[in-house]
Amino acid sequence: MQNPLEKSLPQTSVVGACTVTDCKFNENHECHAGSIEVRVSSNGAECGTYTPERNTRPRP
């Protein structure tokens, strides 16, 4: 059991599933950006890292 006074190692967070198929960081519904920024809007949370692909054809 971990001592409560010890700091735990940093945890890596992972985007569960990205549904924005035209983002250049989305590969097979996985985000491959080095890090992401999440912003709050009137519609809820949104990805501030979104960058459209140069090729505008949607990914499957």
Side-chain angles (χ1 to χ4, degrees), residues 1-40:
M1 189 167 172
Q2 182 178 354
N3 180 337
L5 299 176
E6 291 179 14
K7 288 187 176 183
S8 61
L9 295 174
Q11 299 295 315
T12 301
S13 296
V14 178
V15 175
C18 179
T19 59
V20 183
T21 58
D22 66 335
C23 180
K24 76 176 193 174
F25 299 113
N26 185 342
E27 295 179 21
N28 297 318
H29 299 286
E30 294 180 1
C31 180
H32 289 270
S35 63
I36 65 166
E37 178 185 334
V38 178
R39 298 180 186 155
V40 178

Side-chain angles (χ1 to χ4, degrees), residues 38-60:
V38 178
R39 298 180 186 155
V40 178
S41 74
S42 60
N43 295 326
E46 62 182 37
C47 180
T49 310
Y50 166 76
T51 305
E53 290 184 304
R54 289 182 186 214
N55 178 359
T56 58
R57 188 181 82 217
R59 293 184 183 199

